[in-house]
Amino acid sequence: MTLLLDLALVAWLLALALHIARVRDDRNAIVAFIGFGLLLGLGWTRLASLDVALTEAAIGGGVTGVLLLRAEAHLRPGKASGASVSHGGKTLAAIACAMVAAGLALAVLAFPSPAPTLAPAAATALPSTGLGNPVTAVLLAYRALDTLLEKVVLILALIGVWSLAPDHLWGGAPSLRPDVVPEPLAYLAQTLPPFGVLIAVYMFWVGADAPGGTFQGGTVLAAMWLLVMLARLRPAPETRRRSVRLVLIGGPTLFLAIGFLGFAMAGGFLAYPESIAKPLIVGIEAALTLSIAATLGLLVAGPAQTAPGR
Amino acid sequence: MTPLAAAPAHVATPGGFLLVLAVMLPVVAVLAMLALGPRQTARIALTTLATGLGVAIAIVVELLRTGAALTYVVGGWQPPLGLALRADGLSVAMLAMTALVVAAIGFFAHAQHGLEPTTRHGRAPTTFWILLMAVWSALNAIFVGEDLFNLYVALELLTFAAVPLVCLDGRAETVAAALRYLMFALLGSLLYLLGTALLYGSFGTLDIGLLSEASAEGPGFSVALALMIAGLLAKAALFPLHLWLPPAHAGAPAAASAVLSALVIKAPFFLILRLILDVAPPQAAAYAGQVLAILGAASILFCSVMALKQARLKLMIAYSTVAQIGYLFIVFPLAAGSETLPPWGTIAWTGGALQLVSHALAKAAMFLAAGVIAEAFGHDRISDLGGFGRALPISAAAFGLAGLSLMGIPPSGGFVAKCLLLTAAVIGGHPWLAATILAGGLLAGGYVFRVVDRALATPAIPLAPRKPIPRRLELAALVLALAAVLLGLVPLQPFGFLQLGRPDSLTVIAP
């Protein structure tokens, strides 16, 4: 029975991927892509990787989809009809993709069995972090440097987006400007956020011991914020505002500060003293969740479109 | 626990924390710039430049003092579970070169921003400083990274800092160039990440040291390495994947062009070097080296000719970058080493490293000089620059000195580099590589002399700058060009510094 389900899932994923590659209408393709992200999340749950599944659904399907939809909406008015990739270009891309896929298949089929894994080592070291979820331990302890740098990458992406604003608008507020706010959207934006915030807080909190964590929680928070901005209940903030910037950098700054304190307290950069490792990690995660939510929300909101007020 | 964990793969050295500082100081600057706002940004940048230069010097001193690589195990978590940072002679040379070039570019940018007091705290200058700091952190992380996934994160940081540099001035054509750069760079990242995932699936570790000990073979390994190297080639802009580079590097503001052409391009090359030297099995490495050398030679010839044909100065310099990057890739078959001689003991290894450093210095100098020229005359059409040497003697001198290094004329770092590579090619029986090196030198002479000829011309109406150019704006290019020339004093033999911290290096001679 489960085999049948898995086969159906794989067939569905393949069909959807083909549909996305072939469909002519961009918006249609993006909507299918969002669906693809959700299905892929389902696939990850079948592989017992709940953390990956949650992230795929939130980032792969959710945030990426919204970004693509907004880009498509911006491009639509000036789009020249029929100015898409040439036939030769598509063939070339298809051949390159097929070659990479064949190489991947070759490599994956040649994996040693049982596959070498660090999972036992990650579990063995878990007690000294005070955490229960090995994925969180990898992200915040064993490979904290990767996570810290990733957060900086996220901020850099936002700096890049902001730099696209014209000089006189730089520092001003972005605008999500829907032409009309449909009734259901306004209703959703008024009723959904309390639940969304609750789910986000739960995801972040439970991440220490079970699947969940900062990125997933932050994404849900960002989605709630975007909903409020899209329904025009609250305007997007000016990007030069001190408070906005402090929330943005709060997570990475706390992370870095505790990392440096590790020199004094635990004998090294990004080392935690064993007795207070868990509270430190949860504290970092809390600040990171807020920072991620702000970064993702502002990434979707885009560059400033109104001049900064005096 | 795995048996690997029993014997630690990396032992932290006392000076290892300096590597953390090298990577993290610029990040602190980025966060501080966002917190304190545009008015403090330049001040924070200049402070960080000075401090970072100090850290780089401290790392050099520590390496020379101990004669062994600096190592740091982050958070005390041993690889393969955790990750390590490590700097051997080559890494330290890269760190020091980067610090010097970044500081000079920062000095130039500060002087240039000072020319327009009204926009000094505006969008472009503020964003430039943030991006410069992020590029610096990413480069340092790449030069000291020992873990392939950690290196992926560093590559991503580099990409997201480098792409907005291209379109800082906001013109539509530069935004298009930036977008094309982003496409190539993201494709490269994706392929690299795929390869990394495959390696983890096969070996359960991403630590370069542990991977090289595993001395693995098999189809999966080859596929993973091929994917990673192909991805990195797209980022390094080797022929025929160079199409994005000329418009991106030529369209960026001068200081940004210098960062991109002198430094950013070197990071993917450095990673390819590490993959081939430290991860790939000898047979695969030899094969990959052959392919890379052919592409490198094609880069040298094709893009040198393209550089000759350019009407605009900055486009010419950008094409010259692709050509000069080609020299780095022909090092692989030349530095193959042998049973008794490891690759890092060969003269080609020293030549390649010198080419890397001298090109970074010379190319940054050239782009900064071109920036002064564009600032003074409002354009960079080579044919209309007759007599610019009279108006801007310092910049013309800097351009000429940097040109010496690109052509490979003594005394210059480029001369020593190309001389070593040529000798290695002749001794090693690679006549066509030797011919390519010579032809590349001649072509470089052609495009450099086109500009030098304009500088020395005496037109009927002397060329006058449209605004006064302060001396300090011209200084940075001259310092970098002089540094490139001074590199020529390195003796023509395998250089001991570059072998420090390498396994079974021969007699380690502190220079």
Side-chain angles (χ1 to χ4, degrees), chain A residues 58-309:
Chain A
I59 303 293
V63 176
T64 319
V66 177
L67 277 171
L68 287 173
L69 278 177
R70 274 182 57 77
E72 195 270 340
H74 270 289
L75 290 174
R76 206 176 323 142
K79 191 156 73 178
S81 54
S84 65
V85 186
S86 70
H87 194 69
K90 276 188 183 171
T91 317
L92 205 67
I95 292 173
C97 288
M99 273 171 59
V100 170
L104 279 183
L106 191 72
V108 169
L109 291 177
F111 273 176
S113 178
T117 172
L118 295 176
T124 314
L126 210 49
S128 63
T129 63
L131 298 169
N133 180 3
V135 176
T136 304
V138 170
L139 291 176
L140 272 299
Y142 313 148
R143 292 181 161 263
L145 183 62
D146 288 345
T147 310
L148 176 55
L149 287 176
E150 260 164 28
K151 299 304 169 268
V152 181
V153 173
L154 214 53
I155 290 181
L156 257 291
L158 187 61
I159 301 282
V161 168
W162 283 355
S163 79
L164 293 172
D167 278 323
H168 65 285
L169 300 185
W170 185 71
S175 148
L176 287 122
R177 58 162 191 207
D179 294 332
V180 275
V181 179
E183 199 69 23
L185 178 64
Y187 178 70
L188 265 183
Q190 280 165 335
T191 47
L192 208 53
F195 300 102
V197 171
L198 192 67
I199 292 172
V201 171
Y202 171 75
M203 274 184 159
F204 134 71
W205 182 253
V206 82
D209 296 312
T214 57
F215 230 109
Q216 297 91 328
T219 313
V220 174
L221 267 189
M224 294 307 117
W225 188 31
L226 282 169
L227 202 56
V228 170
M229 289 195 286
L230 271 171
R232 290 189 182 158
L233 296 180
R234 283 273 184 284
E238 287 196 351
T239 55
R240 59 167 192 164
R241 241 170 62 186
R242 178 70 53 94
S243 56
V244 171
R245 292 174 171 232
L246 287 181
V247 175
L248 274 183
I249 63 163
T253 306
L254 184 68
F255 204 165
L256 196 58
I258 292 178
F260 276 123
L261 274 182
F263 275 126
M265 298 191 304
F269 183 63
L270 284 172
Y272 309 106
E274 217 171 303
S275 54
I276 52 167
K278 187 172 177 184
L280 284 179
I281 290 175
V282 172
I284 292 171
E285 284 204 285
L288 279 182
T289 306
L290 279 180
S291 292
I292 289 170
T295 314
L296 292 180
L298 289 166
L299 268 178
V300 175
Q305 291 185 2
T306 52

Side-chain angles (χ1 to χ4, degrees), chain A residues 5-72:
Chain A
L5 270 178
D6 289 348
L7 283 178
L9 188 62
V10 169
W12 205 359
L13 275 170
L14 279 176
L16 205 49
L18 271 178
H19 172 74
I20 296 167
R22 284 179 52 88
V23 71
R24 285 187 173 277
D25 176 35
D26 289 344
R27 170 169 269 192
N28 194 330
I30 296 167
V31 172
F33 176 77
I34 296 174
F36 184 81
L38 295 176
L39 267 187
L40 202 57
L42 217 56
W44 283 114
T45 55
R46 288 295 303 136
L47 295 171
S49 305
L50 287 183
D51 288 277
V52 185
L54 282 171
T55 314
E56 175 61 43
I59 303 293
V63 176
T64 319
V66 177
L67 277 171
L68 287 173
L69 278 177
R70 274 182 57 77
E72 195 270 340

Side-chain angles (χ1 to χ4, degrees), chain B residues 105-144:
Chain B
I105 292 172
F107 185 77
F108 170 88
H110 186 60
Q112 195 184 26
H113 297 159
L115 294 181
E116 318 241 344
T118 48
T119 59
R120 219 173 59 198
H121 303 301
R123 179 189 63 88
T126 308
T127 310
F128 172 80
W129 288 123
I130 298 178
L131 297 176
L132 181 70
M133 291 299 123
V135 164
W136 196 8
S137 167
L139 286 169
N140 286 347
I142 286 171
F143 295 143
V144 303

